[in-house]
Amino acid sequence: MSATASDSIMETGTFVNCFLLVISLVIIPVNGGYDKERDALLKGTFPQDFIWSSATAAYQIEGAWNVSDKGPSVWDTLAHQDNNRDTGDVACDSYHKYPADIQLMKQMGLKYYRFSISWPRIFPTGEQQDGVNQDGVDYYNNLINELKANDIEPMVTLFHWDLPQALQDRYGGFLNNHTTNTTVIHDLFGDYARFCYQNFGDRVKYWITFNDPWIIALEGYGIGNFPPKHRDPAEGQYKAAHNIILSHAKAYHIYDDEFRAAQGGQVGITLNCDWGTPKTPADADAAIRYIQFSMGWFAHPIFKNGDYPEVMKTTMTRKAQEEGRTTSRLPEFTPEQKAYISGTGDFFGLNHYTTVEVIDTCCTPIENPSYDTDKDIGTGHAPDWPRAASSWLYVVPWGIRNLLGWIKEEYGDPDIYVTENGRSDHDQDPAIMMDMERICYYMMYTNEVMKASNLDSVKVKAYTAWSLLDNFEWLSGYSERFGLHYVDFNDPTRTRYPKASSVFFKQLVRNNGYPEGSEFTKYVENMWYFCHNTTEAEVNGYTGGASQISSLFSLFLAIPMMIAYSLIA
């Protein structure tokens, strides 16, 4: 069916009502532990200027890994080291299929799109002095122009993990500042950021310097599971994070000094964080320590005072004494660097997916120190938290509201952009197209974001679904799918198919939330208790299970459900 015909069907209230009614009756409940006050559906809408978006990343979707003069990234190198490993060589082939992707966004009514630029696609070696890949520049110009032509605003990430391999080989990547080399990584990153501002900034008004620096530092330079696979669990992550923070500040100041007046954009950073909830009241301090050692590691210098959190510094000083070291493994910023770093965020980007229970394990000396032991905590999950396909992703909607409120109080009430949030399914045959659990996830998490905005006065400005497309999920390859759209990776043309969640998300965007009295909200009400694995009767003190009721209807309504879905597929 053509996009035009599909749109005309989805515009009709009859189709939407039928579609959501069917889902509400057969949905698989996905969340446990319902709290009548905490988890109740909030009706209302987001502010009129609220940003709804979806997100991708260059290595995960672009493909074209060696097209033209593009240089290899550290992820290209890792993927090609094992012949049995999935690669991003083709991925979703968005390098060639970006116009089709933009039409998917337009069909969903999205007005913003978050994507990343591949550093080695612009500078093949990572250094401008070695030459610019004009084809790469043209690709991003064409992508941005196509977005603008379809009334979609680009939100651009400068670094989403694909470091040019040459920079790792020449300078040690983000460890560079701690070697004898004279060239420092934050200067090179500044050159790259300046080039992007010069060439794309007339149309791009939202810039994100780094995506998930915690993962870059810890997985890439500490644990060593991610490229460049530098294993130094005692110190590597701290050295890399130090340089990433300085690189972020460099890119921010370049924009502030050279481009802001003419271009009028904003520059921020995106930090990932799980909410840490104490397992017992005695673990409350440990839960705060968990957040400060993850998100605070980067947010405290940028949004507070240019330096690491006090609990992080005092903990690492104590660790140094226990280990017989004369200095802490946590590097120190100079007074000049602290002043340079502080306040370098126009907005606070947040990637959030899940919640953990935190247990205090302080303070036993450790023979082989690492980031995980430095925190003096243990983490786990409540038994009634359902898990997605990703082993680390448990569905705990109220965690995002708590985290948003904590950011508001800790960092002076900044503008917050939720830059990723989503749920994974397994790659399986037949494909999961009626992705009910993802619909429930988006429904519950966005309602918690609205509570943070409307009830807690958190300045949440944006919500971004991860992801627009199924894509290359890093070390998991293509075994996990986060997309609103299914991508057939066995098809050379990489055909995209809308999942049921894309229809739900379109209605969510169109309604800008859950307005009182709307048909959309009425059917969300019908789905609400099923998504929380309960029933209205149970919530109000009666007995009976949601899963039993859903099972009763599922077989009877399977055929009409598929007919309803075929109208939009």
Side-chain angles (χ1 to χ4, degrees):
M1 179 173 289
S2 69
T4 302
S6 177
D7 272 346
S8 66
I9 291 173
M10 286 193 287
E11 292 297 330
T12 64
T14 301
F15 169 73
V16 173
N17 293 351
C18 175
F19 177 74
L20 294 178
L21 174 61
V22 169
I23 291 175
S24 71
L25 291 174
V26 302
I27 197 160
I28 302 169
V30 299
N31 198 40
Y34 191 87
D35 183 286
K36 185 175 181 180
E37 293 186 4
R38 180 194 66 197
D39 300 327
L41 171 66
L42 176 67
K43 299 174 186 177
T45 59
F46 287 91
Q48 285 301 310
D49 60 351
F50 192 75
I51 293 171
W52 293 98
S53 180
S54 63
T56 61
Y59 187 75
Q60 294 181 271
I61 69 161
E62 284 180 1
W65 79 277
N66 61 352
V67 165
S68 186
D69 294 322
K70 178 188 174 293
S73 74
V74 292
W75 272 97
D76 290 315
T77 300
L78 176 68
H80 294 154
Q81 286 175 345
D82 183 352
N83 291 332
N84 296 319
R85 185 186 294 277
D86 289 335
T87 76
D89 289 2
V90 180
C92 304
D93 197 26
S94 289
Y95 184 83
H96 299 105
K97 296 180 71 71
Y98 69 88
D101 295 341
I102 291 171
Q103 289 309 304
L104 295 178
M105 302 172 214
K106 187 174 182 179
Q107 184 173 342
M108 290 176 62
L110 297 175
K111 297 296 184 182
Y112 291 80
Y113 174 47
R114 181 186 171 219
F115 66 93
S116 73
I117 292 175
S118 171
W119 191 347
R121 197 179 294 284
I122 300 295
F123 298 164
T125 69
E127 297 193 63
Q128 187 172 6
Q129 66 184 13
D130 294 334
V132 176
N133 175 21
Q134 188 58 45
D135 284 352
V137 177
D138 293 344
Y139 165 69
Y140 291 113
N141 269 320
N142 292 336
L143 170 60
I144 292 167
N145 290 340
E146 186 73 10
L147 287 166
K148 298 290 284 188
N150 285 275
D151 197 27
I152 298 173
E153 288 293 321
M155 181 178 287
V156 177
T157 303
L158 291 171
F159 188 85
H160 199 131
W161 306 0
D162 46 350
L163 181 75
Q165 182 63 47
L167 295 187
Q168 183 61 34
D169 296 339
R170 292 175 181 178
Y171 308 117
F174 286 105
L175 295 180
N176 165 255
N177 204 2
H178 293 263
T179 71
T180 58
N181 294 313
T182 56
T183 301
V184 291
I185 191 68
H186 41 88
D187 290 330
L188 296 175
F189 185 74
D191 293 342
Y192 162 60
R194 179 183 287 109
F195 184 89
C196 291
Y197 301 152
Q198 288 172 334
N199 285 271
F200 313 125
D202 58 328
R203 289 149 294 156
V204 175
K205 304 307 175 187
Y206 300 92
W207 294 97
I208 296 167
T209 55
F210 286 88
N211 179 82
D212 295 350
W214 180 88
I215 294 176
I216 302 165
L218 181 61
E219 294 288 350
Y221 294 90
I223 298 172
N225 288 334
F226 279 19
K229 300 197 76 171
H230 177 88
R231 180 168 174 77
D232 180 5
E235 298 186 74
Q237 62 274 354
Y238 300 120
K239 295 175 181 178
H242 205 71
N243 280 321
I244 290 171
I245 293 167
L246 289 168
S247 298
H248 158 80
K250 183 80 171 184
Y252 180 91
H253 282 291
I254 287 172
Y255 191 85
D256 205 40
D257 295 342
E258 303 175 26
F259 298 95
R260 189 185 299 276
Q263 296 182 357
Q266 300 182 64
V267 179
I269 189 170
T270 279
L271 307 178
N272 62 296
C273 191
D274 304 338
W275 175 246
T277 189
K279 185 173 179 64
T280 71
D283 301 312
D285 288 344
I288 297 301
R289 191 164 65 249
Y290 169 84
I291 297 173
Q292 291 287 19
F293 259 81
S294 53
M295 183 171 66
W297 187 3
F298 301 90
H300 200 279
I302 293 168
F303 293 95
K304 292 202 80 166
N305 66 357
D307 201 2
Y308 296 117
E310 195 62 32
V311 68
M312 198 173 185
K313 293 193 297 180
T314 56
T315 298
M316 295 303 292
T317 297
R318 173 174 56 81
K319 296 284 182 177
Q321 294 170 348
E322 293 172 352
E323 297 157 12
R325 299 174 184 262
T326 57
T327 59
S328 171
R329 289 179 282 113
L330 183 69
E332 294 184 3
F333 293 114
T334 67
E336 294 77 17
Q337 288 173 332
K338 292 176 185 177
Y340 189 71
I341 294 165
S342 182
T344 55
D346 298 326
F347 61 85
F348 192 116
L350 175 66
N351 290 352
H352 173 83
Y353 291 85
T354 192
T355 290
V356 297
E357 284 189 332
V358 180
I359 303 168
D360 194 342
T361 62
C362 187
C363 300
T364 303
I366 301 295
E367 183 175 346
N368 297 307
S370 69
Y371 169 81
D372 282 338
T373 60
D374 288 342
K375 295 177 291 183
D376 289 327
I377 62 164
T379 60
H381 304 90
D384 60 356
W385 294 354
R387 191 170 73 180
S390 305
S391 61
W392 50 269
L393 205 170
Y394 288 77
V395 181
V396 192
W398 48 264
I400 194 170
R401 179 184 179 185
N402 288 359
L403 183 57
L404 289 168
W406 194 87
I407 293 170
K408 168 187 167 68
E409 296 302 322
E410 181 71 6
Y411 301 115
D413 198 18
D415 289 348
I416 303 173
Y417 293 68
V418 177
T419 44
E420 287 183 25
N421 183 238
R423 185 194 186 282
S424 58
D425 286 325
H426 291 289
D427 177 45
Q428 63 184 57
D429 188 15
I432 301 174
M433 303 300 291
M434 298 299 297
D435 52 340
M436 307 306 179
E437 293 180 336
R438 182 169 294 107
I439 289 174
C440 280
Y441 184 99
Y442 281 132
M443 182 194 307
M444 295 185 292
Y445 272 77
T446 56
N447 199 251
E448 292 297 323
V449 173
M450 192 169 75
K451 291 174 186 176
S453 173
N454 295 2
L455 301 182
D456 306 334
S457 300
V458 178
K459 294 192 293 189
V460 189
K461 301 295 184 180
Y463 179 88
T464 307
W466 183 270
S467 173
L468 177 70
L469 305 169
D470 291 335
N471 54 57
F472 177 83
E473 283 299 331
W474 308 114
L475 293 184
S476 297
Y478 300 102
S479 66
E480 297 174 4
R481 293 176 175 267
F482 278 85
L484 292 159
H485 296 86
Y486 178 89
V487 178
D488 186 350
F489 295 110
N490 295 315
D491 181 350
T493 65
R494 295 301 196 267
T495 306
R496 286 91 156 109
Y497 301 94
K499 299 179 189 177
S501 58
S502 71
V503 181
F504 173 84
F505 204 78
K506 174 175 181 173
Q507 297 304 319
L508 175 59
V509 172
R510 175 180 291 169
N511 284 273
N512 196 31
Y514 304 92
E516 182 80 45
S518 73
E519 291 301 307
F520 176 67
T521 303
K522 290 178 183 178
Y523 289 106
V524 167
E525 288 183 272
N526 290 339
M527 298 166 66
W528 193 253
Y529 293 115
F530 289 97
C531 285
H532 283 86
N533 195 23
T534 188
T535 65
E536 187 173 8
E538 285 182 317
V539 169
N540 289 294
Y542 299 100
T543 59
S547 57
Q548 295 174 326
I549 296 175
S550 67
S551 297
L552 181 66
F553 285 101
S554 61
L555 180 62
F556 178 71
L557 291 174
I559 294 176
M561 177 175 65
M562 293 308 297
I563 292 173
Y565 179 63
S566 71
L567 295 176
I568 55 95

